Amino acid sequence: MIRTAFLGLGAMGFPMAAHLAQQAQAQGGQALVWNRTPGRAEAHAEQHGSLAVALTDTAQADLLLTCLPTSSEVDEVMQTLLPHLRPGTVWVDCTSGHPDAARRQQETLAARGIPFLDAPVSGGTVGAQAGTLTVMVGGDAATLAQVQPALAFARKVVHVGGTGAGFAVKAVNNALLAVNLWAAGEGLAVLGRAGVQLGAALDVINASSGRSNATENLIGQRVLTREFPATFALGLLAKDAGIASELTQAVGGSAPVLAQVAALLRGAARTVGADADHTAALKAIEAMNDLELR
Amino acid sequence: MIRTAFLGLGAMGFPMAAHLAQQAQAQGGQALVWNRTPGRAEAHAEQHGSLAVALTDTAQADLLLTCLPTSSEVDEVMQTLLPHLRPGTVWVDCTSGHPDAARRQQETLAARGIPFLDAPVSGGTVGAQAGTLTVMVGGDAATLAQVQPALAFARKVVHVGGTGAGFAVKAVNNALLAVNLWAAGEGLAVLGRAGVQLGAALDVINASSGRSNATENLIGQRVLTREFPATFALGLLAKDAGIASELTQAVGGSAPVLAQVAALLRGAARTVGADADHTAALKAIEAMNDLELR
Amino acid sequence: MIRTAFLGLGAMGFPMAAHLAQQAQAQGGQALVWNRTPGRAEAHAEQHGSLAVALTDTAQADLLLTCLPTSSEVDEVMQTLLPHLRPGTVWVDCTSGHPDAARRQQETLAARGIPFLDAPVSGGTVGAQAGTLTVMVGGDAATLAQVQPALAFARKVVHVGGTGAGFAVKAVNNALLAVNLWAAGEGLAVLGRAGVQLGAALDVINASSGRSNATENLIGQRVLTREFPATFALGLLAKDAGIASELTQAVGGSAPVLAQVAALLRGAARTVGADADHTAALKAIEAMNDLELR
Amino acid sequence: MIRTAFLGLGAMGFPMAAHLAQQAQAQGGQALVWNRTPGRAEAHAEQHGSLAVALTDTAQADLLLTCLPTSSEVDEVMQTLLPHLRPGTVWVDCTSGHPDAARRQQETLAARGIPFLDAPVSGGTVGAQAGTLTVMVGGDAATLAQVQPALAFARKVVHVGGTGAGFAVKAVNNALLAVNLWAAGEGLAVLGRAGVQLGAALDVINASSGRSNATENLIGQRVLTREFPATFALGLLAKDAGIASELTQAVGGSAPVLAQVAALLRGAARTVGADADHTAALKAIEAMNDLELR
């Protein structure tokens, strides 16, 4: 039996760790959890039968999973844990991290005999709760094969390349989410100014070639309703789009549309607020077009 | 029984008219068809039991449908037909036309007692053959109610607003297709330069939040295979994105991403070729990134 | 002696008409002036010795100059004047108008035997006062040769092509002003966030390859001082950039950067205010970057 | 008397070092020069009376100036020289380098008691030959004051901030050059398609508000003449615009237009060729618009 520890019980991490806890119990064990604010770990233990421990105690796990806001927080946690880690433990980072950070972290841990996989997830809080997340993994394939059964929160696990490839694919995926969302907002704003009924327009687009996850699952539910429920923060999506831009620079690529949207999103995070839901980026488009999308 | 005439037997029109012909026969009648190149109309008659007629003879129909490359060709056909049209005939234009043209055409016909609906379709050649197209309609709702049963090629018909609204929604839908397609091409180009396996990356994106119709139904099937089958021409998609840009100007809107992609697409239609499949726009991205998406 | 009438005594027209008045007096005559708000015409007469007349009386002039906000206002004035105009009068439109409007207006007037030149100006209110404007003229070269001596407000008059070419060049010139201004704002915002002293940076740029009229004559004087004196309205610059975008569409061109900036400027005119000075567009960049350019 | 060594005798460095050599001789001394390809250093010695030396011998200088393609080459040279450098020597890097590299290099050298200034130049090969370059300097102001008299190639020296600020301003300046140049190319392409005579249009723009260094000194001389003389490589301008984009990311800025142009320029460097003159970027615009700018 693999003993797991899950670090970072945010909107995504909390339900993800619940699946680990459930699986551990089914095997007669107990999953370790840690959170910077300890109360949240204790709540997890109470609700899901995990064991809330001190940060350094998570080093006792065979499989250590992190799910933190950015690679910087992973760096910090790694610094603290480094003296306590044992060779053979596998570190799987589910953060939407930076490819450069992955390579640095992989090297740091490899020097201690600890394999590292960058393994960000997609599917949102709904997928995390349902245990139907998609995991995109960079790093050693054999290591992935070894730990894959323990990723109880996943429906689909895909090995996409060497260290950093998981973070790269996640950054690009989120950049595409950003583009598709922003462009749909622009398109609806123009239609709204032209007097078209937006609900009907969205209905048509969702049955047509212009549809995307953003038009199918976000704009109708979150924007036209004016609810903008804060599940995935605009500041974090802007960060991810920024990682995609940095990756583009790093590989000498040319991606004018991704670059433009990353910049507009950064701007929207400033004018609308970084803590708002990512769909609230469309409020910046509303201001530029002097209308409300409803 | 409504007698229909279908004008314009292109890649979309040919199978659309086949559904009209089939429905007419089921009702003991015969659908009229016309095409600029008469051979294509005769082939339709032979294959689908329609009746190939001269252009002016289509004026005998109760319901006249056009499906031509642009609003200019509709203008030409209308000029020729105008002296022959009878009050009460309904004109339904399935072209991906221009909202301004719709308003002009509606006025011209209204002066003769002929209602006009702008009714572009979405669903591609596959949907046209299967009779599962989505139709977005601008114009008088009562007129639509009257002719809707005759639209045998449609699975979903949505009234989106007054005259021109159908064309507006279609232009924006296609602009979103253009953005989603182009952005996905950029994202994959960056990942390709980063050494990520593109098939795996696309697989992940299609199970994640960045997915769109372009990633799900176009890039894997047409780009990564290097097949680029010419069903919907790049020049026509560039034209549609241009209509969306003109609409944006006309309503005083601000849509920086739609505007950029419309311009890039126009450029790609020049460097790659306007007759190539619309997915071949990504060859322009390949040139800018010095790699092939495969 | 050519008798002139000047219609439209705005920030530009008022001093332009003063040069006409002065020249007329030197030749023993009197220039006619008209303004929608008559008080402004009377003030002009008092200050500059012109003759304030009713709109229809301006039709008595040999040379009629218009300088109005957009081509729409020129259309209105032309509609009113049309029955009163005499063959042989030349109409010179100094408005920053639309190439399509020019062609329409030229045709309308030609049917009455009245030549039309589109002749927008550049140089700002300072150039208008000093009589050092640049005039870019579209239309018949011989007509220009005939009236050029009467353009007393100009230092440089350039014939750039057929009807509409003057408006086209003006629209592109202003689109370049918009791009150069906006880009400089972005660049300074980034430097400001990096802790660089903006006055020193601007000083260096103005001695380097990145300089433009915007960096040399606008940003130091209007933005860094936080004065934003309202001489040329943001809404009018956004209109001009929009004309350049429409022209691009009309000629099938591809101009992704002009298109983006036109859209951003339209958005800024909404969030900052269309009546603010055009340099106040940079307040939108400040909001996106959470800093003040000073 | 300060003994100088100049490393990197490229298109800019060669004439810059000539001014140092001349100044040294006037003071009875001799400037050291080094180049990766030694023949070029020997040619410099012969033409300008400098002394061509081995790389490690340049460490004997009191003032060491580098002018290399990118910060990577500076890193390499620094690695080799490090064991030979003496405390008190000042290192002035005139490369168009990266702000991050400046901070790293400054630290490395400070540990050895060697002050570092980032001091990129602007003015092109013409300014280098005339000794009229603008130098933008980041780092310690007192160190600059000490070495400034030795910068014989400069007409204007501006201290813009701490370490890295010089590179930052240079990157932004060149990004503005890129934007102004690219936008002017787009604008002329649109005018060309509209049938406007481009020489006349450029003449007008250069007397109007849309003018920039690019329209005044590059497009008429290099593009419309079809000469594209290779003085400043497109690949290097794309690199500089990329540094500005990375800086934007690093400081959390939002610069959609700079980002777009950096991406388009990177693409043009691929399709037109990185070694072509930077003005040849407009050939990419020509291809997108199917016309030649002449």
Side-chain angles (χ1 to χ4, degrees):
Chain A
M1 196 188 70
I2 293 181
R3 178 156 233 201
T4 62
F6 198 99
L7 294 77
L9 303 170
M12 291 296 289
F14 198 91
M16 285 167 75
H19 288 281
L20 296 190
Q22 196 175 358
Q23 181 166 282
Q25 285 160 38
Q27 297 172 357
Q30 211 174 12
L32 306 180
V33 294
W34 173 84
N35 196 63
R36 201 167 42 133
T37 326
R40 200 153 160 90
E42 286 150 22
H44 196 275
E46 200 167 315
Q47 285 176 43
H48 296 295
S50 54
L51 187 63
V53 297
L55 178 52
T56 50
D57 291 340
T58 62
Q60 302 311 312
D62 306 306
L63 173 60
L64 208 145
L65 298 107
T66 34
C67 191
L68 298 165
T70 74
S71 287
S72 299
E73 285 87 356
V74 178
D75 277 338
E76 281 176 37
V77 163
M78 199 176 283
Q79 223 46 49
T80 307
L81 275 179
L82 214 50
H84 304 274
L85 291 170
R86 302 169 311 163
T89 292
V90 176
W91 189 309
V92 172
D93 184 18
C94 298
T95 301
S96 291
H98 201 297
D100 289 350
R103 279 181 284 270
R104 213 177 352 90
Q105 292 162 346
Q106 188 271 337
E107 273 183 36
T108 302
L109 292 174
R112 299 268 181 153
I114 298 162
F116 173 90
L117 300 175
D118 49 301
V121 300
S122 185
T125 52
V126 171
Q129 275 148 18
T132 58
L133 294 173
T134 297
V135 192
M136 48 213 88
V137 187
D140 179 54
T143 303
L144 173 58
Q146 172 195 339
V147 302
Q148 187 164 340
L151 307 178
F153 44 74
R155 177 161 64 190
K156 185 182 185 89
V157 178
V158 183
H159 184 252
V160 291
T163 299
F167 287 162
V169 173
K170 173 72 177 175
V172 166
N173 175 77
N174 281 17
L176 294 182
L177 164 60
V179 172
N180 299 350
L181 175 64
W182 185 279
E186 286 187 359
L188 290 176
V190 170
L191 289 176
R193 290 188 65 85
V196 174
Q197 207 275 316
L198 296 189
L202 188 65
D203 185 26
V204 166
I205 290 167
N206 282 335
S208 301
S209 55
R211 74 182 178 278
S212 65
N213 172 57
T215 62
E216 291 176 310
N217 298 312
L218 296 173
I219 291 181
Q221 296 80 346
R222 298 178 176 222
V223 179
L224 298 191
T225 60
R226 311 307 297 164
E227 287 181 5
F228 305 100
T231 60
F232 177 33
L234 173 50
L236 289 179
L237 183 59
K239 184 256 309 173
D240 292 343
I243 292 176
S245 286
E246 286 176 18
L247 177 63
T248 304
Q249 283 290 331
V251 301
S254 168
V257 175
L258 301 194
Q260 177 189 30
V261 172
L264 293 173
L265 215 64
R266 172 69 61 199
R270 290 265 160 58
T271 57
V272 174
D275 294 333
D277 189 59
H278 61 303
T279 56
L282 272 55
K283 290 183 181 177
I285 296 173
E286 294 180 330
M288 291 164 74
N289 284 279
D290 197 18
L291 98 171
E292 248 187 25
L293 299 172
R294 51 163 77 239
Chain B
M1 195 189 71
I2 295 180
R3 178 158 235 201
T4 62
F6 198 100
L7 292 77
L9 303 171
M12 290 297 290
F14 198 91
M16 287 166 74
H19 288 281
L20 296 190
Q22 196 177 359
Q23 182 167 280
Q25 287 161 39
Q27 297 171 359
Q30 211 175 10
L32 306 180
V33 294
W34 173 85
N35 196 63
R36 200 167 42 131
T37 325
R40 202 157 159 87
E42 287 150 21
H44 196 274
E46 199 167 316
Q47 285 175 43
H48 298 295
S50 54
L51 187 63
V53 297
L55 179 51
T56 51
D57 291 339
T58 62
Q60 303 311 313
D62 306 306
L63 173 59
L64 208 145
L65 297 108
T66 34
C67 191
L68 297 166
T70 74
S71 287
S72 299
E73 285 86 358
V74 179
D75 277 339
E76 281 175 39
V77 163
M78 199 174 284
Q79 223 46 48
T80 306
L81 275 179
L82 215 50
H84 305 275
L85 291 171
R86 302 170 310 165
T89 293
V90 176
W91 189 311
V92 172
D93 185 18
C94 298
T95 301
S96 291
H98 200 297
D100 289 350
R103 279 181 285 269
R104 213 176 352 90
Q105 293 161 345
Q106 188 272 336
E107 274 184 37
T108 302
L109 293 174
R112 300 267 181 154
I114 298 162
F116 173 89
L117 299 175
D118 49 301
V121 300
S122 185
T125 52
V126 171
Q129 275 149 18
T132 58
L133 293 173
T134 297
V135 192
M136 48 212 90
V137 187
D140 180 54
T143 304
L144 173 58
Q146 173 194 337
V147 302
Q148 185 163 342
L151 307 178
F153 45 74
R155 178 160 66 192
K156 185 182 184 90
V157 178
V158 183
H159 184 251
V160 291
T163 298
F167 289 162
V169 172
K170 173 71 178 175
V172 166
N173 175 76
N174 281 17
L176 294 182
L177 164 60
V179 171
N180 299 350
L181 175 65
W182 185 279
E186 286 187 359
L188 290 178
V190 170
L191 289 176
R193 290 188 64 87
V196 173
Q197 207 275 316
L198 296 189
L202 187 64
D203 184 26
V204 165
I205 289 168
N206 282 335
S208 300
S209 54
R211 73 181 179 279
S212 64
N213 173 58
T215 62
E216 290 176 310
N217 298 314
L218 296 173
I219 290 182
Q221 295 79 348
R222 297 177 177 222
V223 180
L224 298 192
T225 59
R226 311 307 298 164
E227 288 181 4
F228 304 101
T231 59
F232 178 34
L234 174 50
L236 290 180
L237 183 58
K239 183 254 313 174
D240 293 342
I243 293 177
S245 285
E246 286 175 19
L247 176 64
T248 304
Q249 284 290 330
V251 301
S254 168
V257 176
L258 301 193
Q260 182 183 189
V261 172
L264 292 174
L265 217 61
R266 172 69 61 200
R270 290 265 161 59
T271 57
V272 174
D275 294 333
D277 189 59
H278 62 304
T279 55
L282 273 55
K283 289 184 181 177
I285 297 173
E286 294 179 331
M288 292 164 75
N289 283 279
D290 196 18
L291 99 171
E292 248 186 24
L293 299 173
R294 50 164 78 238
Chain C
M1 195 189 72
I2 294 181
R3 177 156 234 201
T4 62
F6 198 100
L7 293 77
L9 303 169
M12 291 296 291
F14 198 91
M16 286 167 74
H19 288 281
L20 296 190
Q22 195 176 357
Q23 182 167 280
Q25 287 161 38
Q27 298 171 355
Q30 209 175 12
L32 307 180
V33 294
W34 173 85
N35 195 64
R36 199 165 44 129
T37 325
R40 201 156 160 88
E42 286 150 22
H44 196 275
E46 198 167 317
Q47 286 176 43
H48 298 295
S50 53
L51 186 63
V53 297
L55 178 52
T56 49
D57 291 339
T58 62
Q60 303 310 313
D62 305 305
L63 172 60
L64 208 144
L65 298 107
T66 34
C67 190
L68 298 166
T70 74
S71 286
S72 300
E73 285 85 359
V74 178
D75 277 338
E76 281 175 39
V77 163
M78 199 175 284
Q79 222 47 48
T80 306
L81 275 180
L82 214 49
H84 305 274
L85 291 171
R86 303 170 308 165
T89 293
V90 176
W91 189 311
V92 172
D93 185 17
C94 299
T95 301
S96 291
H98 200 297
D100 289 349
R103 279 181 285 270
R104 213 177 353 88
Q105 292 161 346
Q106 188 273 337
E107 274 183 38
T108 302
L109 292 174
R112 301 265 181 157
I114 297 162
F116 173 89
L117 300 174
D118 48 301
V121 300
S122 186
T125 51
V126 171
Q129 275 149 18
T132 57
L133 294 174
T134 297
V135 192
M136 48 212 90
V137 187
D140 180 55
T143 304
L144 173 59
Q146 171 194 339
V147 303
Q148 186 163 341
L151 307 178
F153 43 75
R155 177 160 64 190
K156 186 184 185 87
V157 178
V158 184
H159 183 251
V160 291
T163 299
F167 288 162
V169 172
K170 173 71 176 176
V172 166
N173 175 77
N174 282 16
L176 294 182
L177 164 60
V179 171
N180 299 351
L181 174 65
W182 185 279
E186 286 187 0
L188 290 177
V190 169
L191 289 176
R193 290 188 64 86
V196 173
Q197 207 273 318
L198 296 188
L202 188 64
D203 184 27
V204 165
I205 289 167
N206 281 336
S208 301
S209 55
R211 74 181 179 278
S212 64
N213 173 56
T215 62
E216 291 175 310
N217 298 314
L218 296 173
I219 291 183
Q221 295 78 348
R222 297 179 176 221
V223 179
L224 298 192
T225 58
R226 311 308 295 164
E227 288 181 4
F228 304 101
T231 59
F232 177 34
L234 174 50
L236 289 180
L237 183 59
K239 184 256 309 174
D240 292 343
I243 292 177
S245 285
E246 286 175 18
L247 176 64
T248 305
Q249 283 290 331
V251 300
S254 169
V257 175
L258 301 193
Q260 183 182 189
V261 172
L264 293 174
L265 217 62
R266 172 71 59 201
R270 290 266 160 58
T271 58
V272 174
D275 294 334
D277 188 60
H278 62 303
T279 56
L282 272 55
K283 289 184 182 177
I285 296 173
E286 294 179 331
M288 291 163 75
N289 283 280
D290 197 18
L291 98 169
E292 247 185 26
L293 298 173
R294 53 162 78 240
Chain D
M1 197 187 70
I2 293 182
R3 176 157 235 201
T4 62
F6 198 99
L7 294 77
L9 302 171
M12 291 296 290
F14 198 91
M16 287 167 73
H19 288 281
L20 296 190
Q22 196 175 0
Q23 181 165 281
Q25 287 159 37
Q27 298 171 357
Q30 210 176 12
L32 306 180
V33 293
W34 173 85
N35 195 64
R36 201 167 41 134
T37 325
R40 203 157 159 86
E42 286 150 23
H44 197 276
E46 199 167 316
Q47 286 175 42
H48 298 295
S50 54
L51 187 63
V53 297
L55 178 51
T56 49
D57 291 340
T58 63
Q60 303 310 313
D62 305 306
L63 172 60
L64 207 145
L65 297 108
T66 35
C67 191
L68 298 165
T70 76
S71 286
S72 299
E73 285 86 357
V74 178
D75 277 339
E76 281 175 40
V77 163
M78 199 175 284
Q79 223 47 48
T80 307
L81 275 179
L82 214 49
H84 305 275
L85 292 171
R86 301 169 311 164
T89 293
V90 176
W91 188 310
V92 172
D93 185 18
C94 298
T95 301
S96 290
H98 200 298
D100 289 349
R103 280 181 284 270
R104 211 173 358 86
Q105 292 161 345
Q106 188 272 338
E107 274 183 37
T108 302
L109 292 174
R112 300 268 181 152
I114 298 162
F116 173 90
L117 300 174
D118 50 300
V121 299
S122 186
T125 51
V126 171
Q129 275 149 17
T132 58
L133 294 173
T134 297
V135 192
M136 47 212 91
V137 186
D140 180 54
T143 303
L144 173 57
Q146 172 194 337
V147 302
Q148 185 162 342
L151 306 177
F153 44 75
R155 177 161 65 192
K156 186 182 184 89
V157 178
V158 184
H159 184 252
V160 291
T163 299
F167 288 161
V169 172
K170 172 71 178 176
V172 166
N173 175 77
N174 281 16
L176 294 182
L177 164 61
V179 171
N180 299 350
L181 174 65
W182 185 279
E186 287 187 358
L188 290 178
V190 170
L191 290 176
R193 290 188 64 84
V196 174
Q197 207 274 317
L198 296 189
L202 188 64
D203 184 26
V204 166
I205 290 168
N206 281 335
S208 301
S209 55
R211 73 181 180 277
S212 63
N213 172 57
T215 63
E216 292 175 310
N217 298 314
L218 297 173
I219 291 182
Q221 296 78 348
R222 297 178 177 221
V223 179
L224 299 191
T225 59
R226 312 308 295 164
E227 288 182 4
F228 304 101
T231 59
F232 177 34
L234 174 50
L236 289 179
L237 182 59
K239 184 256 309 175
D240 292 342
I243 292 176
S245 286
E246 286 175 19
L247 176 64
T248 305
Q249 283 291 330
V251 300
S254 169
V257 176
L258 301 193
Q260 178 189 29
V261 173
L264 292 173
L265 216 62
R266 172 69 61 198
R270 289 266 160 59
T271 57
V272 174
D275 293 334
D277 188 60
H278 62 303
T279 56
L282 272 55
K283 290 184 180 177
I285 296 173
E286 294 180 331
M288 292 164 75
N289 284 279
D290 197 18
L291 98 171
E292 248 187 24
L293 300 172
R294 50 164 76 239

